[in-house]
Amino acid sequence: MANAHILEFSRFEFKYVLHKTQREAVEAELNYFMELDPFVAQKKDHRYEVRSLYFDDPARTAFADKIDGLKLRSKFRVRTYSRNEAGPAPVFLEEKGRIDNRVFKHRVALLDDLRAIDGRFDDQFMPTLMVPESGGDSALLDDFRYQTFRKGLAPVALIDYLRRPYISRYDHDFRVTFDEQLTGIETHLLFPLTTARSRRLLVGYTVMEVKFDTRVPAWFHRILQSFELRRVPMSKICEGMSTLGIAVDLS
C-alpha cells in the first residue's frame, strides 16, 4: 500500500443484504431523506452498470484475508461501467482495501488500448498495456506490477451488477447504493465472450451499501432499527469466488 498513490477516498462502508420486500420498503423510507444521484436521474430504472475484474494470487490471499476479517488488507481490480466492449465507459485500475475500520480506494484511469485486445490481462499483455490515461507512470501501477511479479497476481473472476445510488439531502458525505442482479464469471477477460458461463449471485437479494466519512445520521439509525437491519461482512468477489468454486470459505 504505497503512500504515494492518489487517494480517491477513505471512509466507512457498511453493507446490508435485503430481500425484495425489505429493499422496497427501505428504499421508500429513504426517499424522504435522500435523492437519486444526478448521474442516474435520467437513466433507465435510475441504475448504471458496474463491471469489475478481480485479481488474486495462487494461494487466494486476498480472498482469505477478507474471510478472516483482517484489519489491514487490500485487493486489486480493473473496473469499468459498461458490458459493451465498444462502449465509451472509462477503464480504471483500482486498489481497494481496509485500514482498521476505514475503507480506502486508489484509482488510475487506463488507456483504451485494453479494449482493442479484448480486455485481456494475461502475462503477455498486462505489463505493457496497463498505462495511465494521462501518460507517464503511476505509483499505483508500479505497486500493481510489483505485486504481480512478487505474488503472481492474476485475474480470477468478473463481477457484474446494476447499481442505484442515492445522496443525502441533509448530510453531504452520506451515500447509499443498492446493488442488484449480481453475476460472476470465472475469466481473465474484462469483456469475455457472450458464451461465457455466468452464475447468478445472491439470487433474490440486493446489497445495500452505506458510505460515510464521520457518522451515520440519526434518521438513518431509525430506519435500521425500524427494519431490524444488521450489518454483514460480505464481499461481492468472495461471494462470486465461492459460488464459482474458485475458493472455499473454511471459516
Side-chain angles (χ1 to χ4, degrees):
M1 300 176 190
N3 293 330
H5 298 171
I6 296 174
L7 185 65
E8 180 175 318
F9 66 68
S10 172
R11 65 189 180 196
F12 296 97
E13 290 189 359
F14 296 166
K15 295 179 181 177
Y16 304 82
V17 177
L18 313 179
H19 59 67
K20 185 176 185 295
T21 303
Q22 277 182 316
R23 182 260 173 85
E24 292 173 349
V26 170
E27 192 169 9
E29 287 293 319
L30 287 183
N31 280 315
Y32 291 106
F33 305 94
M34 309 190 78
E35 60 191 15
L36 289 167
D37 187 309
F39 178 70
V40 298
Q42 303 303 319
K43 288 184 176 290
K44 180 181 178 180
D45 296 328
H46 308 303
R47 301 180 300 186
Y48 63 90
E49 296 176 330
V50 180
R51 164 161 287 195
S52 301
L53 182 65
Y54 286 87
F55 292 73
D56 208 341
D57 60 25
R60 303 297 183 242
T61 301
F63 176 90
D65 286 352
K66 168 61 179 178
I67 296 300
D68 293 342
L70 296 191
K71 293 295 186 180
L72 181 62
R73 63 178 187 267
S74 68
K75 58 180 175 282
F76 286 98
R77 67 191 181 197
V78 172
R79 170 163 286 190
T80 188
Y81 298 94
S82 173
R83 302 181 194 184
N84 180 2
E85 185 178 346
V91 178
F92 300 94
L93 171 68
E94 298 181 346
E95 180 190 24
K96 187 172 183 180
R98 178 178 294 271
I99 301 176
D100 293 327
N101 293 318
R102 294 184 73 89
V103 171
F104 71 85
K105 184 168 77 174
H106 306 294
R107 161 188 276 195
V108 60
L110 301 176
L111 289 174
D112 285 340
D113 297 38
L114 292 170
R115 297 179 184 275
I117 46 95
D118 299 325
R120 289 179 61 181
F121 289 92
D122 57 23
D123 292 340
Q124 180 181 356
F125 292 104
M126 188 164 54
T128 57
L129 287 181
M130 294 190 72
V131 178
E133 186 178 45
S134 57
D137 211 340
S138 153
L140 177 58
L141 271 167
D142 282 346
D143 191 29
F144 176 74
R145 292 178 181 128
Y146 173 71
Q147 297 295 340
T148 299
F149 174 77
R150 186 171 73 90
K151 295 182 177 179
L153 294 181
V156 291
L158 185 71
I159 304 296
D160 285 320
Y161 53 89
L162 297 175
R163 167 167 286 180
R164 179 178 294 166
Y166 285 89
I167 57 176
S168 174
R169 293 189 176 100
Y170 311 106
D171 310 271
H172 74 279
D173 69 338
F174 186 74
R175 298 176 59 85
V176 173
T177 59
F178 292 94
D179 299 338
E180 57 193 326
Q181 298 184 28
L182 280 75
T183 61
I185 302 174
E186 184 176 3
T187 181
H188 65 277
L189 302 175
L190 185 60
F191 300 101
L193 298 175
T194 55
T195 55
R197 182 169 175 265
S198 67
R199 294 284 300 275
R200 297 177 65 190
L201 312 176
L202 299 173
V203 179
Y205 288 85
T206 296
V207 178
M208 181 177 74
E209 295 191 4
V210 179
K211 308 168 186 187
F212 60 98
D213 184 49
T214 56
R215 64 181 182 86
V216 174
W219 59 263
F220 189 75
H221 267 301
R222 290 193 290 271
I223 291 176
L224 293 178
Q225 293 169 351
S226 175
F227 291 96
E228 299 182 344
L229 300 181
R230 298 289 181 267
R231 290 169 53 190
V232 293
M234 73 85 58
S235 161
K236 297 183 184 75
I237 181 55
C238 288
E239 184 72 24
M241 291 174 72
S242 296
T243 301
L244 293 166
I246 299 171
V248 179
D249 181 358
L250 299 177
S251 62

